[in-house]
Coordinates of all heavy atoms in Angstrom, one line a residue:
Chain X
S287 N -83.1 -10.4 -13.5 CA -84.1 -9.6 -12.8 C -83.8 -9.7 -11.3 O -83.5 -10.8 -10.8 CB -85.5 -10.1 -13.2 OG -86.4 -9.6 -12.3
E289 N -86.1 -8.3 -7.9 CA -87.3 -7.6 -7.3 C -87.3 -7.8 -5.8 O -87.1 -9.0 -5.4 CB -88.6 -8.1 -8.0 CG -88.6 -8.1 -9.5 CD -89.0 -6.7 -10.0 OE1 -89.7 -6.0 -9.2 OE2 -88.6 -6.3 -11.1
L310 N -68.4 -6.7 -5.8 CA -69.5 -5.8 -6.1 C -69.5 -5.3 -7.5 O -68.5 -4.8 -8.0 CB -69.5 -4.6 -5.1 CG -70.6 -3.6 -5.2 CD1 -71.9 -4.2 -4.8 CD2 -70.3 -2.4 -4.3
S314 N -77.2 0.7 -5.8 CA -78.1 1.8 -5.9 C -78.6 2.2 -4.6 O -79.1 1.3 -3.9 CB -79.2 1.5 -6.9 OG -80.2 2.5 -6.8
S330 N -74.4 -3.3 -17.0 CA -75.2 -2.1 -16.8 C -76.4 -2.4 -16.0 O -76.9 -3.5 -15.9 CB -75.6 -1.5 -18.2 OG -76.6 -2.4 -18.8
S332 N -80.2 -0.4 -14.1 CA -81.2 0.7 -14.0 C -81.9 0.6 -12.7 O -82.0 -0.5 -12.1 CB -82.2 0.6 -15.2 OG -83.0 -0.5 -15.1
K336 N -88.3 1.5 -7.0 CA -87.7 1.1 -5.8 C -87.5 -0.4 -5.6 O -86.6 -0.9 -5.1 CB -88.5 1.7 -4.6 CG -87.8 1.5 -3.2 CD -88.7 2.2 -2.1 CE -88.0 2.1 -0.8 NZ -88.8 2.8 0.3
T344 N -73.6 -7.5 -20.6 CA -73.4 -7.1 -22.1 C -72.3 -8.0 -22.7 O -71.6 -8.7 -22.0 CB -73.0 -5.7 -22.3 OG1 -71.7 -5.5 -21.9 CG2 -73.9 -4.8 -21.4
T351 N -69.6 -15.9 -17.3 CA -70.1 -17.1 -16.6 C -69.8 -17.0 -15.2 O -68.6 -16.9 -14.7 CB -69.4 -18.4 -17.2 OG1 -69.8 -18.6 -18.6 CG2 -69.8 -19.6 -16.4
L355 N -75.6 -12.5 -7.5 CA -76.4 -12.4 -6.3 C -76.9 -10.9 -6.2 O -76.1 -10.0 -6.3 CB -75.7 -12.8 -5.0 CG -75.5 -14.2 -4.8 CD1 -74.4 -14.5 -3.8 CD2 -76.8 -14.8 -4.2
T364 N -78.4 -1.0 10.1 CA -78.0 -2.2 10.9 C -76.8 -2.9 10.2 O -76.2 -3.8 10.8 CB -79.1 -3.2 10.9 OG1 -79.5 -3.6 9.6 CG2 -80.3 -2.6 11.7
L375 N -75.4 -17.8 -14.5 CA -75.3 -17.5 -15.9 C -74.2 -18.3 -16.5 O -73.0 -18.3 -16.0 CB -75.1 -16.0 -16.2 CG -74.7 -15.6 -17.6 CD1 -75.9 -15.9 -18.5 CD2 -74.3 -14.1 -17.6

Side-chain angles (χ1 to χ4, degrees):
Chain X
S287 170
E289 303 279 332
L310 183 66
S314 169
S330 66
S332 63
K336 187 175 185 178
T344 75
T351 294
L355 282 161
T364 59
L375 172 63

